Amino acid sequence: MCGAVHYRVHGQPFHVTHCHCVSCRKASGAAFVTWFTVRLIELEWLGEKPLFYHSSTAAMRGFCPHCGATLSYQHESDPDDIDLTAASLDMPEVLVPEFHIWWQDHISWGEPEQQAALPVHARSRD
């Protein structure tokens, strides 16, 4: 968000996913987080390095030490991969989400029908 931490991916992203788990929702403050996965060896952190914390015994999350923006997620079951937030990309529209995970935890007002029924404003609601 502030630009202090940024990254370059040298490989092809995969598993573009909307995650609805409680941990992702609480870590981001959003109804779900869109992640994409890359091989850890294909990720280059530029600028300042993110800070990391264990959000559970098996998972570690990365964030900007200045603005707190959520940047990454790693799980011990996949030590060679890292998930990055799609919204942290300069052009997130280049990725197309493939599926939802942890749908059992989704917030009820996040149902596609309910979202489609909401009014849309190009900018603010004023």
Side-chain angles (χ1 to χ4, degrees):
M1 189 162 72
C2 72
V5 178
H6 47 282
Y7 58 86
R8 181 174 296 129
V9 173
H10 297 283
Q12 188 65 32
F14 55 98
H15 297 317
V16 183
T17 307
H18 293 316
C19 183
H20 296 266
C21 79
V22 173
S23 294
C24 282
R25 291 197 337 250
K26 289 187 179 217
S28 69
F32 61 89
V33 177
T34 305
W35 299 100
F36 65 98
T37 307
V38 298
R39 301 280 178 233
L40 191 55
I41 62 170
E42 297 175 341
L43 173 66
E44 178 184 5
W45 292 109
L46 304 168
E48 291 195 42
K49 303 293 185 242
L51 293 179
F52 296 93
Y53 71 98
H54 284 276
S55 57
S56 69
T57 305
M60 188 167 55
R61 294 176 185 269
F63 64 97
C64 174
H66 294 281
C67 67
T70 300
L71 298 170
S72 69
Y73 174 88
Q74 289 176 275
H75 196 276
E76 67 180 21
S77 65
D78 295 310
D80 298 329
D81 295 343
I82 186 168
D83 297 324
L84 300 168
T85 52
S88 65
L89 290 169
D90 291 333
M91 297 185 335
E93 62 275 3
V94 302
L95 296 177
V96 178
E98 302 168 89
F99 46 83
H100 296 264
I101 60 172
W102 288 95
W103 186 253
Q104 69 183 24
D105 291 348
H106 82 282
I107 298 173
S108 62
W109 47 256
E111 294 282 344
E113 302 79 26
Q114 290 180 290
Q115 293 299 307
L118 294 175
V120 175
H121 303 278
R123 293 186 62 104
S124 73
R125 66 180 179 275
D126 294 331

